[in-house]
Amino acid sequence: MRFIDLAAQQRRIRDRIDQRIKTVLEHGQYIMGPEVGELESILAGYAGVNHAVSCGSGTDALLMALMALGVGGDDMIITTPFTFIATAEVISLLGARPVFADIDPKTYNICPSSISQCIDKTPPGAIKGIIAVDLFGLPADYSAIMAIAAEHGLFVLGDAAQSFGSEVNYQKACAMPDISATSFFPAKPLGCYGDGGMCFSNDTQLAEALRSIRAHGKGQHKYENDRIGINGRLDTIQAAILLEKFSLFPEEIILRNQVAKRYGDYLSDTAKDNLVLPTVPDDYVSAWAQYSVLARDAANRQILMDRLKEKDIPTAIYYPKPLHLQKAFASLGYRKGDFPVSEDLANRIFSLPMHPYLDENEQEQIAEALRT
Ligand SMILES: *Cc1c(COP(=O)(O)O)cnc(C)c1O
């Protein structure tokens, strides 16, 4: 059994992907070829935003978004410690300072009241913005977060690396913050065959800044440089691959939700005293990048993961160590105990196989292994 089965998806569209790659090899516009613009307009339409700007990775999308927002110097940016390192890494890369706020114990996303407490403890004006993460594909609580941000004049950047395709009240999550960033890393809900990413925004000025930043801060002309930027372009070949993969994507979001629902059905009895299953608030649609459950404690998690491994069922831990306890962020001065919800989760969480093509048989086996 596979944790994420990319081959099952490829079998459905292999011929069309080959054809798309062939077209790129024939026209030869490997950098910023026509497929890049085509992908941007299709995904902007799907996300329901005015502007989509593609780039080289999800990390570059976050970095470019912060650069477009003018982050640097002594700025403080609030974010969650229970995420992939890239979310906070880009803050430090720009010389700014991550300020962590603990997560909600039900959704595992940043907790709006923790954000408010952070703001209250900091000198007025020091905090510039908030990076919310849609962890495992579930949108953050944007309505509460946007309200706090508006009250204090902060920007909100959504780290939608795991959540492209997710919704709240029929609105795509990546259309909710001021700007959002997704990743096309192969294992993400919409992945390419290499690295890729994209920013989404309704703000025309931000979009113009992003287009400039991704090409070394170009102005009207490529050798006219208006600002410091990066080499952050998406390869034409990856855009071509994404165009074909996107043709399956809306259906795959439905399939992922069916898989998640089946897990809920099959695991409901086990869940009573042994496991906590993921919660999806009303009106939310998750993109189900991961299906993550909580064991009773670290020892119980090890027992369950070993039992699954014996049956050749792969699992993974996202994330075993919250960011405030990582050596890379030691200089921020946080200590064990600072974010109890994140620390508790890191000890108990693990993820089960999740992809659109996981079938009932496989899920029965997984449930059975967890039951005995
Ligand atoms: C994957 C991921 C990223 C980084 O994306 P890359 O494309 O690998 O650079 C950032 N944030 C989160 C939450 C992610 O899961």
Side-chain angles (χ1 to χ4, degrees):
M1 197 181 301
R2 294 180 196 215
F3 191 66
I4 295 177
D5 191 351
L6 294 175
Q9 179 199 54
Q10 194 186 83
R11 281 194 290 275
R12 295 184 64 189
I13 48 168
R14 179 62 193 261
D15 290 352
R16 287 188 280 148
I17 286 181
D18 286 344
Q19 188 52 50
R20 280 280 188 181
I21 293 173
K22 192 161 162 252
T23 304
V24 176
L25 297 189
E26 275 157 14
H27 69 53
Q29 296 178 59
Y30 306 119
I31 301 293
M32 296 306 283
E35 287 83 357
V36 174
E38 194 188 334
L39 180 73
E40 287 175 342
S41 64
I42 288 177
L43 296 195
Y46 174 79
V49 296
N50 295 336
H51 308 284
V53 180
S54 61
C55 60
S57 69
T59 306
D60 276 359
L62 291 165
L63 179 68
M64 284 168 39
L66 291 184
M67 290 171 80
L69 289 159
V71 168
D74 300 322
D75 295 340
M76 292 180 161
I77 312 293
I78 295 176
T79 192
T80 157
F82 197 65
T83 178
F84 182 58
I85 178 97
T87 312
E89 186 181 37
V90 290
I91 302 171
S92 299
L93 262 176
L94 292 173
R97 184 184 170 91
V99 176
F100 294 119
D102 212 351
I103 52 172
D104 178 279
K106 283 217 161 66
T107 63
Y108 316 150
N109 283 327
I110 196 165
C111 168
S113 60
S114 307
I115 295 177
S116 296
Q117 282 165 21
C118 259
I119 296 171
D120 292 343
K121 276 191 284 187
T122 319
I127 308 249
K128 248 304 217 2
I130 301 164
I131 308 182
V133 179
D134 308 331
L135 200 71
F136 305 141
L138 183 73
D141 185 355
Y142 287 110
S143 58
I145 295 168
M146 294 301 286
I148 296 169
E151 189 187 335
H152 297 278
L154 313 178
F155 69 75
V156 178
L157 163 59
D159 181 342
Q162 303 180 4
S163 68
F164 191 62
S166 69
E167 297 176 5
V168 182
N169 265 321
Y170 304 103
Q171 190 182 17
K172 292 283 187 283
C174 56
M176 301 178 82
D178 299 310
I179 182 167
S180 62
T182 199
S183 163
F184 302 129
F185 182 82
K188 309 285 173 166
L190 179 60
C192 55
Y193 292 148
D195 278 306
M198 196 172 275
C199 292
F200 301 92
S201 184
N202 283 318
D203 185 321
T204 303
Q205 266 180 321
L206 278 180
E208 275 169 15
L210 289 169
R211 289 195 186 96
S212 164
I213 289 164
R214 94 172 148 194
H216 300 288
K218 78 174 166 79
Q220 290 303 323
H221 180 269
K222 126 172 161 176
Y223 299 116
E224 190 90 59
N225 306 99
D226 290 351
R227 50 165 70 74
I228 296 298
I230 63 172
N231 174 355
R233 296 169 300 241
L234 178 69
D235 291 344
T236 307
I237 284 191
Q238 297 301 344
I241 290 163
L242 282 164
L243 281 167
E244 280 317 315
K245 298 237 269 169
F246 180 71
S247 69
L248 301 178
F249 185 69
E251 178 193 341
E252 288 183 343
I253 289 289
I254 294 169
L255 292 171
R256 283 175 186 274
N257 276 278
Q258 287 170 359
V259 170
K261 172 151 192 321
R262 278 203 301 266
Y263 266 137
D265 295 343
Y266 295 172
L267 294 173
S268 60
D269 50 341
T270 317
K272 270 192 207 93
D273 36 40
N274 253 326
L275 278 184
V276 179
L277 305 183
T279 312
V280 178
D282 288 346
D283 304 320
Y284 279 57
V285 177
S286 176
W288 294 108
Q290 302 296 341
Y291 191 90
S292 303
V293 297
L294 297 187
R296 279 198 308 261
D297 51 37
N300 186 237
R301 171 173 72 183
Q302 196 55 52
I303 292 169
L304 293 174
M305 287 177 69
D306 287 347
R307 208 190 281 159
L308 290 162
K309 196 172 170 202
E310 269 167 35
K311 310 255 162 166
D312 270 330
I313 298 166
T315 55
I317 298 178
Y318 303 111
Y319 294 92
K321 192 189 253 194
L323 299 188
H324 68 287
L325 301 177
Q326 296 283 359
K327 194 166 145 198
F329 290 121
S331 67
L332 297 176
Y334 288 109
R335 266 187 242 122
K336 209 171 176 144
D338 283 346
F339 302 103
V341 185
S342 298
E343 290 171 30
D344 176 47
L345 240 68
N347 284 329
R348 298 199 285 142
I349 203 157
F350 66 107
S351 302
L352 303 176
M354 168 50 86
H355 59 83
Y357 307 102
L358 195 66
D359 66 32
E360 290 170 38
N361 256 333
E362 292 173 304
Q363 289 191 273
E364 283 278 20
Q365 284 173 45
I366 295 165
E368 181 56 34
L370 286 168
R371 235 181 330 251
T372 42

